[in-house]
Amino acid sequence: MLAAVVTAKTYKEAIREINNIQNADLIELRLDYIKDLSHRNIKNLIKMCKKPAIATNRKKDEGGLFTGSEEDRIDALQAAIKSDVNFVDVEYSTDKNLLKHLLKNKSTTRIIISHHNLYETPKNIINVYNKMKKLNPDFIKIVTKAKSVTDNFEIFDLINDANKEKTKVIAFCSGSYGEFSRILSIILGSQITYAANEKGKESADGQLTLNEMHSYRIKKLNNQTKILGIIGNPVTHSLSNIMHNAAFEKLNINAVYLKFKVDNLKHFVNYFKGQNILGFSVTIPHKIEIVKFIDNIDKKAEKIGAVNTIVVKNKRLIGHNTDCDGAIKALKTKTELKNKKVVVLGAGGSSRAVAYGLKEERANTTILNRTVESARNIADCFDCSYGSLNDLKKIDYDILINTTPVGMHPYPYDCPIPSRLLRKDSIIFDIVFNPYKTKLLKYAEKKECTVIPGFEMLINGAELQFKLWTKKNAPTHLMREKAISYLEDADHQN
Ligand code: ATR
């Protein structure tokens, strides 16, 4: 179930917020946010909710705003019970006598006993769950902060244990490493996930908005849903979730595409191998390292030495590379490549894919990189020249390709090279796709260069990936439209 969280600061504002909620199964009233709270106001707000309501009066040390006495805090929850609220959320750390009293006098209200760790996910979190179980509440809620992607696995294991013994559990991780758990936990059997009514109204770190939750098709997910997602760090700039989830909706495919912020690739792969996975995209900085952890690699990806797409078949991970074809197709809409002088900035996984493609097309490529040694490694593999970024001033080129992340959201004002080094009449291709027009491309347009936005490579790659995962043709037009409209909205907000 999806709960919309009301974080209004006043009674009047709360009424407005409640009336604006659409498309949620539940409404969580955060009583601790409301400054002019009274028994009467509580009663009225519960009445106004056209959906089942959860009354929560969170104390400070568990992430709430309540600062009064424990007696007053529990008194507000008792008032909610008297008004026949459907659920009350009360912290396990509450004085046990107050807690027992509440459980005894709950009437028809169902009690969620909750535990929040705002700082970490302790390895023994299952012990906390076992203690909470002794109170025999209707629901046990556990939310811990993920400081690494691996912390999520403690919580997923806990959900599995609870499912086995038929205990109703609500569990996920907070923080950016835990963001995907707010969606995945529902597939695994957690009962409720929470969303903010709009951006800036979040009640917890990493909480998504209702709209974002719906873009993941949260209400259609079930234990048969196939899981896909992008593995990277950072992943906030990614548009792949928007494109692929829209495509799954259009073609009625029971799958969801998530954003996995991954700091520990080995543990991530080991854990997810056992899950209901269809595939992954791989992005910065994992495209080369991932090769160590897959079971098989296709010929092109092997030659490139980098993988940006994984297909999972019978729990075996097969690596592919769609970056190369995606980039070459984007370039060829503007130019022939044979004998062209091309400079590639950067020497990571994307650079390898581009350099391989350029070699196939018989271009004359020079790799320039901050770390010259990495540029040399690629040059040795794909018959290129190489040098440092400083060497650009000495080099004549027809095409310049940026494969570094410089200029990527959230740093759209950065540019990988000084604008004076842009050559008039050259073609400038920036593989950064968010923002749509990077600083580099804006400078290039001023110099009357032909520009190719990284989005073109992204959409070409997404089309190939979709086919690899689903064996179906991607609704490319729709995917393009959704991603572009997202980028335009983001641009307006900045
Ligand atoms: P990917 O696999 O997606 O291409 P990557 O392997 O992390 O990503 O490679 C990123 C490339 O961008 C690297 O060549 C990196 O340079 P180093 O080899 O010196 O690390 C380059 N890069 C990243 N940040 C940069 C910056 N601020 N300035 C210049 N180059 C940068």
Side-chain angles (χ1 to χ4, degrees), residues 21 35 74 261 285 325-326 354 358 376 391 453 458-459 464 483:
I21 293 172
K35 287 181 187 138
I74 300 304
K261 180 175 170 185
D325 291 352
V354 169
L358 290 170
R376 191 165 75 111
D391 293 330
L458 180 78
I459 190 86
L464 295 168

mmCIF file of all heavy atoms in Angstrom, residues 21 35 74 261 285 325-326 354 358 376 391 453 458-459 464 483:
data_model
loop_
_atom_site.group_PDB
_atom_site.id
_atom_site.type_symbol
_atom_site.label_atom_id
_atom_site.label_comp_id
_atom_site.label_asym_id
_atom_site.label_seq_id
_atom_site.Cartn_x
_atom_site.Cartn_y
_atom_site.Cartn_z
ATOM 1 N N ILE A 21 -4.805 15.188 -1.998
ATOM 2 C CA ILE A 21 -4.177 13.871 -2.202
ATOM 3 C C ILE A 21 -4.997 13.028 -3.175
ATOM 4 O O ILE A 21 -6.190 12.856 -2.997
ATOM 5 C CB ILE A 21 -4.017 13.114 -0.863
ATOM 6 C CG1 ILE A 21 -3.001 13.844 0.011
ATOM 7 C CG2 ILE A 21 -3.567 11.665 -1.108
ATOM 8 C CD1 ILE A 21 -2.895 13.318 1.409
ATOM 9 N N LYS A 35 1.320 22.536 14.361
ATOM 10 C CA LYS A 35 1.601 23.366 15.542
ATOM 11 C C LYS A 35 0.339 23.581 16.377
ATOM 12 O O LYS A 35 0.401 23.611 17.598
ATOM 13 C CB LYS A 35 2.192 24.709 15.106
ATOM 14 C CG LYS A 35 3.636 24.541 14.637
ATOM 15 C CD LYS A 35 4.245 25.851 14.214
ATOM 16 C CE LYS A 35 5.618 25.575 13.598
ATOM 17 N NZ LYS A 35 5.851 26.377 12.407
ATOM 18 N N ILE A 74 1.527 10.711 23.620
ATOM 19 C CA ILE A 74 0.677 9.514 23.552
ATOM 20 C C ILE A 74 -0.799 9.909 23.679
ATOM 21 O O ILE A 74 -1.666 9.288 23.063
ATOM 22 C CB ILE A 74 1.088 8.504 24.657
ATOM 23 C CG1 ILE A 74 2.557 8.090 24.443
ATOM 24 C CG2 ILE A 74 0.185 7.278 24.676
ATOM 25 C CD1 ILE A 74 2.890 7.517 23.076
ATOM 26 N N LYS A 261 22.111 2.901 -6.207
ATOM 27 C CA LYS A 261 23.371 3.585 -5.907
ATOM 28 C C LYS A 261 24.280 2.562 -5.232
ATOM 29 O O LYS A 261 23.986 2.108 -4.122
ATOM 30 C CB LYS A 261 23.102 4.787 -4.987
ATOM 31 C CG LYS A 261 24.340 5.571 -4.626
ATOM 32 C CD LYS A 261 23.979 6.797 -3.814
ATOM 33 C CE LYS A 261 25.224 7.441 -3.246
ATOM 34 N NZ LYS A 261 24.904 8.554 -2.351
ATOM 35 N N PRO A 285 30.772 4.563 -11.826
ATOM 36 C CA PRO A 285 32.123 4.262 -12.315
ATOM 37 C C PRO A 285 32.348 2.755 -12.472
ATOM 38 O O PRO A 285 33.477 2.296 -12.332
ATOM 39 C CB PRO A 285 32.998 4.805 -11.173
ATOM 40 C CG PRO A 285 32.171 4.468 -9.944
ATOM 41 C CD PRO A 285 30.716 4.479 -10.360
ATOM 42 N N ASP A 325 27.491 0.972 -30.007
ATOM 43 C CA ASP A 325 26.538 1.156 -31.116
ATOM 44 C C ASP A 325 25.718 2.430 -30.931
ATOM 45 O O ASP A 325 25.418 3.124 -31.907
ATOM 46 C CB ASP A 325 25.587 -0.050 -31.218
ATOM 47 C CG ASP A 325 26.324 -1.295 -31.691
ATOM 48 O OD1 ASP A 325 27.505 -1.158 -32.082
ATOM 49 O OD2 ASP A 325 25.737 -2.388 -31.671
ATOM 50 N N GLY A 326 25.366 2.718 -29.668
ATOM 51 C CA GLY A 326 24.575 3.920 -29.385
ATOM 52 C C GLY A 326 25.330 5.184 -29.779
ATOM 53 O O GLY A 326 24.761 6.103 -30.384
ATOM 54 N N VAL A 354 33.596 3.910 -27.096
ATOM 55 C CA VAL A 354 33.649 4.871 -28.203
ATOM 56 C C VAL A 354 34.906 4.617 -29.049
ATOM 57 O O VAL A 354 34.847 4.583 -30.290
ATOM 58 C CB VAL A 354 33.613 6.318 -27.649
ATOM 59 C CG1 VAL A 354 33.932 7.329 -28.731
ATOM 60 C CG2 VAL A 354 32.251 6.609 -27.028
ATOM 61 N N LEU A 358 35.067 3.698 -33.002
ATOM 62 C CA LEU A 358 35.775 4.578 -33.941
ATOM 63 C C LEU A 358 36.827 3.790 -34.728
ATOM 64 O O LEU A 358 37.056 4.048 -35.913
ATOM 65 C CB LEU A 358 36.423 5.733 -33.179
ATOM 66 C CG LEU A 358 35.438 6.762 -32.599
ATOM 67 C CD1 LEU A 358 36.156 7.732 -31.658
ATOM 68 C CD2 LEU A 358 34.733 7.541 -33.718
ATOM 69 N N ARG A 376 46.658 5.862 -22.248
ATOM 70 C CA ARG A 376 47.617 5.015 -22.970
ATOM 71 C C ARG A 376 47.089 3.586 -23.095
ATOM 72 O O ARG A 376 47.204 2.947 -24.137
ATOM 73 C CB ARG A 376 48.967 5.014 -22.256
ATOM 74 C CG ARG A 376 50.066 4.381 -23.106
ATOM 75 C CD ARG A 376 51.410 4.716 -22.545
ATOM 76 N NE ARG A 376 51.615 3.914 -21.352
ATOM 77 C CZ ARG A 376 52.503 2.930 -21.263
ATOM 78 N NH1 ARG A 376 53.259 2.644 -22.287
ATOM 79 N NH2 ARG A 376 52.635 2.258 -20.149
ATOM 80 N N ASP A 391 47.071 18.519 -23.775
ATOM 81 C CA ASP A 391 47.550 18.375 -25.165
ATOM 82 C C ASP A 391 46.517 18.831 -26.187
ATOM 83 O O ASP A 391 46.845 18.963 -27.371
ATOM 84 C CB ASP A 391 47.927 16.901 -25.451
ATOM 85 C CG ASP A 391 49.137 16.471 -24.643
ATOM 86 O OD1 ASP A 391 49.973 17.350 -24.357
ATOM 87 O OD2 ASP A 391 49.235 15.284 -24.291
ATOM 88 N N PRO A 453 23.894 15.972 -28.629
ATOM 89 C CA PRO A 453 23.658 15.757 -27.187
ATOM 90 C C PRO A 453 23.785 14.278 -26.824
ATOM 91 O O PRO A 453 23.418 13.405 -27.614
ATOM 92 C CB PRO A 453 22.220 16.239 -26.975
ATOM 93 C CG PRO A 453 21.853 17.000 -28.202
ATOM 94 C CD PRO A 453 22.679 16.433 -29.313
ATOM 95 N N LEU A 458 22.097 7.884 -25.459
ATOM 96 C CA LEU A 458 21.335 7.226 -24.395
ATOM 97 C C LEU A 458 20.106 6.511 -24.964
ATOM 98 O O LEU A 458 19.855 5.342 -24.646
ATOM 99 C CB LEU A 458 20.901 8.266 -23.357
ATOM 100 C CG LEU A 458 20.090 7.699 -22.194
ATOM 101 C CD1 LEU A 458 21.007 7.012 -21.189
ATOM 102 C CD2 LEU A 458 19.283 8.779 -21.493
ATOM 103 N N ILE A 459 19.371 7.200 -25.781
ATOM 104 C CA ILE A 459 18.128 6.614 -26.298
ATOM 105 C C ILE A 459 18.436 5.458 -27.256
ATOM 106 O O ILE A 459 17.745 4.432 -27.239
ATOM 107 C CB ILE A 459 17.195 7.695 -26.936
ATOM 108 C CG1 ILE A 459 15.816 7.135 -27.237
ATOM 109 C CG2 ILE A 459 17.748 8.320 -28.173
ATOM 110 C CD1 ILE A 459 14.865 7.196 -26.096
ATOM 111 N N LEU A 464 18.312 -0.631 -27.544
ATOM 112 C CA LEU A 464 19.002 -1.930 -27.653
ATOM 113 C C LEU A 464 18.854 -2.739 -26.362
ATOM 114 O O LEU A 464 18.624 -3.953 -26.389
ATOM 115 C CB LEU A 464 20.491 -1.705 -27.947
ATOM 116 C CG LEU A 464 20.817 -1.050 -29.300
ATOM 117 C CD1 LEU A 464 22.276 -0.601 -29.346
ATOM 118 C CD2 LEU A 464 20.531 -2.043 -30.432
ATOM 119 N N ALA A 483 11.440 11.080 -21.347
ATOM 120 C CA ALA A 483 12.722 11.541 -20.805
ATOM 121 C C ALA A 483 12.940 13.020 -21.102
ATOM 122 O O ALA A 483 13.390 13.777 -20.238
ATOM 123 C CB ALA A 483 13.862 10.700 -21.373
#
